[in-house]
Amino acid sequence: MQAANPILQAGTYVPPLDNSFRKAQWRMLLAAMFCYFFFYTGRQTFGFAIPGIQKEFGLSKEMLGWASTSLLWCYAVGQAINGNLGDKFGGRRVMTAGAILSCAANWVVSFAVGFKSLAIPWGINGYFQALGWAPGSRLLSNWWGAGERGKVYGFYVFAAGCASVLSFVTSIIVVNVLHLDWRWIFRLPVLLMLVGGIAFYLIARERPEDMGFKSPDTGVANNNPQEAQVAVADGEPQESSWSRYKAVLSNPKLMIAALAIGFQNAARYGLIVWVPVHFLGKDWAKAADGMIDPAWISVALPVGMAFGALTNGWISDKVFGSKRYKAIVLYMLLGAVASMGMYLLPTSIFGLGLLFLAGFFVYGPASSFWALCPDLVGAKRAGTATGVMNFFSYLLAGLGEPLIGRMLDVSGTTSVVFPIVAGSCLISAFIALFIRR
């Protein structure tokens, strides 16, 4: 289905794509984006529920930080397992199952009567949420060649950033517009995720061969012949799960990237979970009186995240020639600057712009991190690599949540979250320097 004449692209000769195949590629990308656009309604709404939960159950912020950690750590374990499941069973089925099961788990959380009945199902929900990202990444790696990977992951992570916007907006609507209690935050927004998961299953196809096309050159890391043996004519991997894990875990560059994204994600979730608490607090309520509901100001964070992800992948391809560590380091340093700016202007309306920039630079490198997975280990192991990297990502993010909650309890001010985020950004930038390829 591909034309025969080669053209020069990204320094290598590749065949131009048939128009019908190009349409199919975009169909798969848009289907994955559509599904993941709703996924965060199942896990990034917790911050908006915290004030109501505290009022009803009398829990400290540190305890609620541990509840948040239960999701993040179960998500981390799920990523380590489910990325491989995506390689083995296909991203289409696994991602759809995640959307359905996570919707059900959120409803269980909504009937909590105390800490245990809140934290345990929230943790189980974390595992179900982990059925989404890596398997979806696996499907995309089947359809898109190595030369367009930064762009594709930029779009995919952009959808995740937009999902953060949606989770913030729907939570605000539930609490501030519909005036429902915190339980409905876990009941209404997740219905969108259910729709997205079903639509993805109906629209997406696992591999180009399923639609009569030939797979594009998905690339193999470092031109290693042992990596090339993974691919076979029908597009299925011929290695065991253990072999995939062994190959991924023995890749030093991927392990360095996993540690770097761990601190990046700790910064990200520091903002996602605690910024709503910060903006719903008394200081912002007073500062924004007569101008804008402070809850809506918080939406600047995920909006910045969405656009940051869209730009970083493109920059890593076009500006830095797929040397993704450069794009990562640049954004992490700027994220630290923006976060410290939020700390210095904790109750100023100028913080709106800084909050956008904090989200933009802190989350932006995610698209480059995920593009590194097939870059380093090949497309056929992309799901396993993505899952392993996300395991470390959420392991460290989970460590940060109770620490931040404890510091907020002790200091009595929610603005402390911003220097913590800045410190995580700087550590991530330093580690990312060693990803150099």
Side-chain angles (χ1 to χ4, degrees), residues 40-56 64 68 118 122 163-177 179-186 189 269-281 293-303 305 355 401:
Y40 286 175
T41 60
R43 80 170 185 267
Q44 287 192 0
T45 56
F46 192 74
F48 288 93
I50 283 177
I53 295 172
Q54 274 196 293
K55 183 177 180 181
E56 184 171 341
L64 289 168
S68 178
L118 175 74
W122 192 234
S164 293
V165 178
L166 183 66
S167 67
F168 272 49
V169 170
T170 52
S171 297
I172 292 170
I173 290 174
V174 168
V175 175
N176 285 22
V177 178
H179 301 292
L180 299 173
D181 68 31
W182 65 269
R183 297 179 187 275
W184 289 96
I185 290 176
F186 300 104
Y269 266 87
L271 294 174
I272 286 172
V273 173
W274 299 106
V275 157
V277 180
H278 177 66
F279 279 84
L280 291 172
D293 188 330
W296 289 105
I297 294 176
S298 68
V299 177
L301 173 69
V303 171
M305 288 181 171
L355 187 61
E401 287 304 287

Side-chain angles (χ1 to χ4, degrees), residues 337-370:
V337 173
S339 296
M340 284 307 300
M342 281 298 302
Y343 178 68
L344 295 173
L345 298 171
T347 57
S348 168
I349 195 62
F350 294 108
L352 176 66
L354 283 172
L355 187 61
F356 174 89
L357 292 176
F360 186 96
F361 292 120
V362 169
Y363 187 52
S367 55
S368 290
F369 275 118
W370 301 128

Side-chain angles (χ1 to χ4, degrees), residues 14-366:
V14 296
L17 298 174
D18 181 85
N19 187 52
S20 59
F21 179 66
R22 177 59 87 181
K23 289 181 179 178
Q25 280 184 308
W26 280 100
R27 177 184 169 189
M28 299 311 132
L29 175 57
L30 292 174
M33 290 174 64
F34 180 79
C35 182
Y36 214 76
F37 174 61
F38 301 114
F39 246 79
Y40 286 175
T41 60
R43 80 170 185 267
Q44 287 192 0
T45 56
F46 192 74
F48 288 93
I50 283 177
I53 295 172
Q54 274 196 293
K55 183 177 180 181
E56 184 171 341
F57 298 155
L59 298 173
S60 67
K61 288 183 176 64
E62 182 180 2
M63 289 297 292
L64 289 168
W66 281 112
S68 178
T69 292
S70 71
L71 179 140
L72 297 176
W73 281 354
C74 288
Y75 185 89
V77 172
Q79 283 293 326
I81 298 171
N82 299 335
N84 179 63
L85 292 182
D87 285 337
K88 190 170 185 178
F89 298 110
R92 177 175 173 240
R93 286 180 290 180
V94 176
M95 191 175 190
T96 299
I100 296 171
L101 293 170
S102 178
C103 179
N106 268 265
W107 273 77
V108 173
V109 171
S110 74
F111 293 101
V113 295
F115 177 76
K116 290 183 180 179
S117 58
L118 175 74
I120 292 173
W122 192 234
I124 294 171
N125 175 53
Y127 178 84
F128 293 150
Q129 278 277 310
L131 291 165
W133 180 257
S137 299
R138 175 66 171 90
L139 185 143
L140 293 178
S141 70
N142 289 338
W143 280 90
W144 291 86
E148 298 178 289
R149 195 166 283 147
K151 173 185 70 178
V152 169
Y153 277 87
F155 277 113
Y156 191 34
V157 181
F158 174 70
C162 290
S164 293
V165 178
L166 183 66
S167 67
F168 272 49
V169 170
T170 52
S171 297
I172 292 170
I173 290 174
V174 168
V175 175
N176 285 22
V177 178
L178 299 179
H179 301 292
L180 299 173
D181 68 31
W182 65 269
R183 297 179 187 275
W184 289 96
I185 290 176
F186 300 104
R187 295 172 181 172
L188 295 183
V190 293
L191 298 178
L192 296 172
M193 179 173 56
L194 181 65
V195 172
I198 294 172
F200 177 70
Y201 186 81
L202 295 175
I203 295 170
R205 295 295 180 267
E206 191 65 31
R207 297 167 298 147
E209 288 81 1
D210 294 337
M211 296 181 66
F213 298 108
K214 180 182 177 182
S215 290
D217 177 16
T218 54
V220 178
N222 303 324
N223 298 315
N224 188 335
Q226 293 180 340
E227 304 272 359
Q229 293 173 5
V230 177
V232 293
D234 64 359
E236 292 290 342
Q238 271 192 334
E239 60 180 349
S240 66
S241 296
W242 168 248
S243 296
R244 281 193 293 270
Y245 278 118
K246 184 178 179 181
V248 168
L249 291 171
S250 63
N251 188 304
K253 296 293 186 183
L254 190 78
M255 291 298 96
I256 293 171
L259 187 58
I261 198 177
F263 284 97
Q264 181 265 343
N265 207 36
R268 174 195 174 202
Y269 266 87
L271 294 174
I272 286 172
V273 173
W274 299 106
V275 157
V277 180
H278 177 66
F279 279 84
L280 291 172
K282 58 185 180 183
D283 290 338
W284 267 96
K286 181 178 179 180
D289 186 33
M291 291 181 285
I292 186 173
D293 188 330
W296 289 105
I297 294 176
S298 68
V299 177
L301 173 69
V303 171
M305 288 181 171
F307 285 100
L310 186 63
T311 60
N312 192 266
W314 180 86
I315 286 173
S316 74
D317 274 345
K318 302 299 182 182
V319 178
F320 296 121
S322 296
K323 293 180 180 179
R324 308 198 194 281
Y325 79 94
K326 292 185 177 181
I328 292 169
V329 171
L330 174 64
Y331 272 46
M332 285 287 88
L333 292 176
L334 293 174
V337 173
S339 296
M340 284 307 300
M342 281 298 302
Y343 178 68
L344 295 173
L345 298 171
T347 57
S348 168
I349 195 62
F350 294 108
L352 176 66
L354 283 172
L355 187 61
F356 174 89
L357 292 176
F360 186 96
F361 292 120
V362 169
Y363 187 52

